[in-house]
Amino acid sequence: MQKTIFVITIIACFYNYSFAQKISNYEPHKLFSPLFYPDAGNSARAADGNPNTGYWQNKVDYDIKVSLNENTNLVTGSIVINYKNNSPRALPFLWLQLDQNLFSKGSRGQARMPVGGRSRYGNAESGFDGGFKISSVKIVSDNSNADYLVTDTRMQIRLKNALKPTGDVIKIKIDYSFTLPEEGADRCGILKTKNGNIYALAQWYPRMCVYDETEGWNTLPYLGPSEFYLEYGDFDFAITVPASHIVVASGELQNPTEVLSAAQIARFVQAKNSDKTVMIRTEEEVTQASSRPKQTGTLTWKYKMINARDISWSSSKAFIWDAARINLPDGKTALAQSAYPAESNGNARWSRATEYTKGSIENYSKRWYTYPYPNAVNVATNIAGMEYPGIVFCKYTDENADLFGVTDHEFGHTWFPMIVGSNERKYGWMDEGFNTFINTLALQDFNKGEYKESAPNTSMFLNFMFGNTSESILSTPDAMKEVNIGMMLYYKPAYGLTLLRNNILGVDRFDYAFREYIKRWAFKHPTPWDFFRTIDNASGENLDWFWKSWFIETYKLDQAIKDVNYSDGKGAIVTLENLDKMAMPVILSYETVSGIKAVMNLPVEIWNNTSSFKVKLPVKEALKYVIIDAEKIYPDMNYLNNKWSQ
């Protein structure tokens, strides 16, 4: 008898499961699997998302001397790289990034550009042939020629004696040159203005690849879409340019008396004590020889940057220049600066750029983590928007509202990935998505909501975000269709974090966990799993189901009301269904025939073992309607089945 009952039960369960599968794609055991994390943590990365006691990372310091020829656009440089191996392994060879080689004819990045189409990352039909020209690579200790090999955007240096583990140091000297492209894949370039060219220099020196415990040497080639993964260190750099030029750069100017006029130095002192923008060099002074301490030959600008992952700079004789004090937590200050041509000056344009820079830095410092650099420089260029530590390049034609948005976005990158040094080459969403998320809050904060935007109607972009052509957020930018990059790396991660903050965890729990993530991984190299683990542990919520459906897979959400039945005057039974692979909490709104309205919030756990769930509404009369997610907060692909009405 027992055996017969068991067989009948198994058949019944199989029948019910098969029937459920016909009406729903939802698989609760996949979404709520207990085996989400790939490992249990290790000596370098703890299971709670912290850097563990065995965490290490290598350090690299740079001493760079470079000059710019404004007639040929040639940049000539010499760099000494001081590299320290903090890893527990000996290194018989080193890898460096030569990202400027993207602009060499035949580079992998140029080869993959669309023919006859447009790409912000390069032009397959351009006749420009740039890239680094390496004239010398030497080991400084014995002044010997290094054994090196250049492969596309990488250089390998094969050492005679392996770099010993846990503290051994090597110095390498490289002499090089390159011609700066006018259109530098939206990273660098040359803007022609009536008073002279504006040169924006980025990826302008050989940089060490990251060696870490997750992959060893990170040597993915630079193809354009995927950005950068860099070690931290200190920078001393000297830039020699025509004496008529102004140079703005990452870090702090070391020799102001040599390159600035007495009036400009005095104005800088005034700006450091002013919340209002102070003009350092006015539009009228741009064409006046007196605005430069020397009228012929060259001048060398010396800068220093401490504990950064990169540096960049811009040079021009056309710069209008202004500045104002940035007020940071704990009484600290920094200096906001803007440099722009006469074409950008005037109403509704760059005259507010320093105000925007100051507001952005102050806001993010207060909300998340204190700004770590002495200066924040906003430069008008022919680049739509690009970020580097302490300096950003923005489009010189942007008008007021647009300029605030791009300024805030590019300086938001200070936190992701300049402070939190994630691997952009593989995980573009960990900087672009996180930054886009904090930008949405900044729009509400700046100047009492001057540029505050209304909440977007999610139904308008669901097909782009979750449609059949969508891709996993976890895809590398290089492997993603360019048309999808804006949605998958910027907006979908930002939307997901907004849902976590406002609807799933709540503001207090989310903000605490997010700040904890920044604090833990400041100036370190987190992986996606470190982020997921930190938010889980700091918020006290198991979010495996969310990470899997939103960031790793391309799951869709389709919640529905199947039917409504009454229970002998004791309430109404609403049958809910989850019809696709994503699960979310349920916001259930209803109104009775007499006009009584109420909202019931159901946790995501109602879906952890079923695709159909019955909920009892405490009503004593008939219902007029019941709606799932009336405000369309969650990304439901079919809002038509979210409502029942009599």
Coordinates of all heavy atoms in Angstrom, one line a residue, residues 19-20 23 559-565 573-579 588 607 611-614 626 628 641-645:
F19 N 2.7 20.7 -15.9 CA 1.7 21.7 -16.2 C 2.1 23.1 -16.0 O 1.9 24.0 -16.8 CB 0.4 21.4 -15.4 CG -0.7 22.3 -15.7 CD1 -1.4 22.3 -16.9 CD2 -1.0 23.3 -14.7 CE1 -2.5 23.2 -17.1 CE2 -2.1 24.2 -14.9 CZ -2.8 24.1 -16.1
A20 N 2.8 23.3 -14.8 CA 3.3 24.6 -14.4 C 4.3 25.1 -15.4 O 4.3 26.3 -15.8 CB 3.9 24.6 -13.0
I23 N 3.0 27.1 -18.5 CA 2.4 28.4 -18.3 C 3.5 29.4 -17.7 O 3.2 30.6 -17.6 CB 1.2 28.4 -17.4 CG1 1.5 27.9 -16.0 CG2 0.1 27.6 -18.0 CD1 0.4 28.1 -15.0
Q559 N 5.3 39.5 -13.9 CA 4.4 39.1 -12.8 C 3.0 39.3 -13.3 O 2.7 40.3 -14.1 CB 4.7 40.0 -11.6 CG 6.1 39.8 -11.0 CD 6.3 40.7 -9.8 OE1 5.8 41.8 -9.7 NE2 7.2 40.3 -8.9
A560 N 2.1 38.5 -12.8 CA 0.7 38.6 -13.3 C -0.3 38.2 -12.3 O 0.0 37.5 -11.3 CB 0.5 37.6 -14.5
I561 N -1.5 38.7 -12.4 CA -2.7 38.3 -11.6 C -3.5 37.3 -12.4 O -4.0 37.6 -13.5 CB -3.5 39.5 -11.2 CG1 -2.7 40.5 -10.4 CG2 -4.8 39.1 -10.5 CD1 -3.5 41.8 -10.0
K562 N -3.6 36.1 -11.9 CA -4.3 35.1 -12.6 C -5.8 35.2 -12.4 O -6.6 35.2 -13.3 CB -3.8 33.7 -12.2 CG -4.5 32.6 -12.9 CD -4.0 31.2 -12.4 CE -4.7 30.1 -13.2 NZ -4.2 28.7 -12.7
D563 N -6.2 35.3 -11.1 CA -7.6 35.5 -10.8 C -7.8 36.0 -9.4 O -6.9 36.1 -8.6 CB -8.4 34.2 -11.0 CG -7.8 33.0 -10.2 OD1 -7.5 33.3 -9.0 OD2 -7.7 31.9 -10.7
V564 N -9.1 36.4 -9.1 CA -9.5 36.9 -7.8 C -10.7 36.1 -7.4 O -11.7 36.1 -8.2 CB -9.7 38.4 -7.8 CG1 -10.2 38.8 -6.4 CG2 -8.4 39.2 -8.1
N565 N -10.7 35.5 -6.2 CA -11.9 34.8 -5.7 C -12.2 35.3 -4.3 O -11.3 35.8 -3.6 CB -11.6 33.3 -5.6 CG -11.5 32.7 -7.0 OD1 -12.4 32.7 -7.8 ND2 -10.3 32.3 -7.4
I573 N -9.1 36.3 -2.2 CA -7.9 35.5 -2.5 C -7.5 35.9 -3.9 O -8.2 35.6 -4.9 CB -8.2 34.0 -2.4 CG1 -8.8 33.6 -1.1 CG2 -6.9 33.2 -2.7 CD1 -8.0 33.9 0.1
V574 N -6.3 36.5 -4.0 CA -5.7 36.8 -5.3 C -4.6 35.8 -5.6 O -3.7 35.6 -4.8 CB -5.1 38.3 -5.2 CG1 -4.5 38.6 -6.6 CG2 -6.1 39.3 -4.8
T575 N -4.7 35.3 -6.8 CA -3.7 34.3 -7.3 C -2.7 35.1 -8.2 O -3.1 35.6 -9.2 CB -4.3 33.1 -8.1 OG1 -5.2 32.5 -7.2 CG2 -3.2 32.2 -8.5
L576 N -1.4 35.1 -7.7 CA -0.3 35.8 -8.4 C 0.5 34.7 -9.2 O 0.7 33.6 -8.7 CB 0.6 36.5 -7.5 CG -0.1 37.5 -6.5 CD1 0.9 38.1 -5.6 CD2 -0.8 38.6 -7.3
E577 N 1.0 35.1 -10.3 CA 1.9 34.2 -11.1 C 3.2 34.9 -11.4 O 3.2 36.1 -11.7 CB 1.2 33.7 -12.3 CG 0.1 32.7 -12.0 CD -0.5 32.1 -13.3 OE1 -0.6 32.8 -14.3 OE2 -0.7 30.9 -13.3
N578 N 4.3 34.2 -11.4 CA 5.6 34.6 -11.9 C 5.8 33.9 -13.2 O 6.1 32.7 -13.2 CB 6.7 34.4 -10.9 CG 7.8 35.4 -11.0 OD1 7.6 36.6 -11.3 ND2 9.0 34.9 -11.0
L579 N 5.8 34.5 -14.3 CA 5.7 33.8 -15.6 C 7.1 33.8 -16.3 O 7.2 33.1 -17.3 CB 4.7 34.5 -16.5 CG 3.3 34.5 -16.0 CD1 2.4 35.3 -17.0 CD2 2.8 33.1 -15.8
L588 N 1.3 45.2 -4.3 CA -0.1 44.9 -4.6 C -1.0 46.0 -4.1 O -1.1 46.3 -2.9 CB -0.5 43.6 -4.0 CG -1.6 42.8 -4.7 CD1 -1.3 42.5 -6.1 CD2 -2.0 41.6 -3.9
W607 N 8.4 33.7 -4.0 CA 8.7 33.0 -5.2 C 9.8 32.0 -5.0 O 10.2 31.4 -6.0 CB 9.1 34.0 -6.3 CG 8.1 35.1 -6.6 CD1 8.3 36.4 -6.5 CD2 6.7 34.9 -7.1 NE1 7.1 37.1 -6.9 CE2 6.2 36.2 -7.2 CE3 6.0 33.8 -7.3 CZ2 4.9 36.4 -7.7 CZ3 4.6 34.0 -7.8 CH2 4.1 35.3 -7.9
S611 N 5.9 29.1 -8.7 CA 5.6 30.2 -9.7 C 4.2 30.7 -9.5 O 3.8 31.6 -10.3 CB 5.8 29.6 -11.1 OG 4.8 28.6 -11.3
S612 N 3.4 30.2 -8.6 CA 2.1 30.6 -8.3 C 1.8 30.8 -6.8 O 2.2 29.9 -6.0 CB 1.1 29.6 -8.9 OG -0.3 30.0 -8.7
F613 N 1.3 32.0 -6.4 CA 1.2 32.3 -5.0 C -0.2 32.9 -4.8 O -0.6 33.8 -5.5 CB 2.3 33.2 -4.6 CG 2.3 33.5 -3.1 CD1 2.9 32.5 -2.2 CD2 1.8 34.6 -2.6 CE1 3.0 32.8 -0.9 CE2 1.8 34.9 -1.2 CZ 2.4 33.9 -0.4
K614 N -0.9 32.5 -3.7 CA -2.1 33.0 -3.3 C -2.0 33.9 -2.1 O -1.3 33.6 -1.2 CB -3.1 31.9 -3.0 CG -3.5 31.0 -4.2 CD -4.5 30.0 -3.8 CE -4.8 29.0 -4.9 NZ -5.4 29.7 -6.1
V626 N -7.4 45.2 -8.6 CA -6.2 44.8 -8.0 C -5.1 45.0 -9.0 O -5.2 44.6 -10.2 CB -6.2 43.4 -7.5 CG1 -4.9 43.1 -6.7 CG2 -7.4 43.1 -6.6
I628 N -0.7 44.9 -9.7 CA 0.7 44.7 -9.3 C 1.5 45.8 -9.8 O 1.4 46.2 -11.0 CB 1.2 43.4 -10.0 CG1 0.5 42.1 -9.4 CG2 2.7 43.2 -9.7 CD1 0.9 40.8 -10.1
N641 N -1.0 42.3 -18.0 CA -1.5 41.2 -17.1 C -1.3 41.5 -15.6 O -1.5 40.6 -14.8 CB -0.9 39.8 -17.5 CG 0.6 39.8 -17.3 OD1 1.2 40.7 -16.7 ND2 1.2 38.8 -18.0
N642 N -1.0 42.7 -15.3 CA -0.8 43.1 -13.9 C -2.0 43.6 -13.2 O -2.0 43.8 -12.0 CB 0.3 44.2 -13.8 CG 1.7 43.7 -14.0 OD1 1.9 42.7 -14.7 ND2 2.7 44.4 -13.5
K643 N -3.1 43.8 -14.0 CA -4.3 44.3 -13.4 C -5.5 43.4 -13.5 O -5.7 42.8 -14.6 CB -4.6 45.7 -14.0 CG -5.8 46.4 -13.4 CD -6.0 47.8 -14.0 CE -7.1 48.6 -13.3 NZ -7.3 49.9 -13.8
W644 N -6.3 43.3 -12.5 CA -7.6 42.6 -12.5 C -8.6 43.7 -12.1 O -8.4 44.5 -11.2 CB -7.6 41.5 -11.5 CG -9.0 40.9 -11.4 CD1 -9.5 39.8 -12.0 CD2 -10.0 41.3 -10.4 NE1 -10.8 39.5 -11.6 CE2 -11.1 40.4 -10.7 CE3 -10.1 42.3 -9.5 CZ2 -12.3 40.6 -9.9 CZ3 -11.3 42.4 -8.8 CH2 -12.4 41.6 -9.0
S645 N -9.7 43.7 -12.8 CA -10.8 44.6 -12.4 C -12.1 43.9 -12.7 O -12.2 43.1 -13.6 CB -10.8 45.9 -13.1 OG -10.8 45.7 -14.5

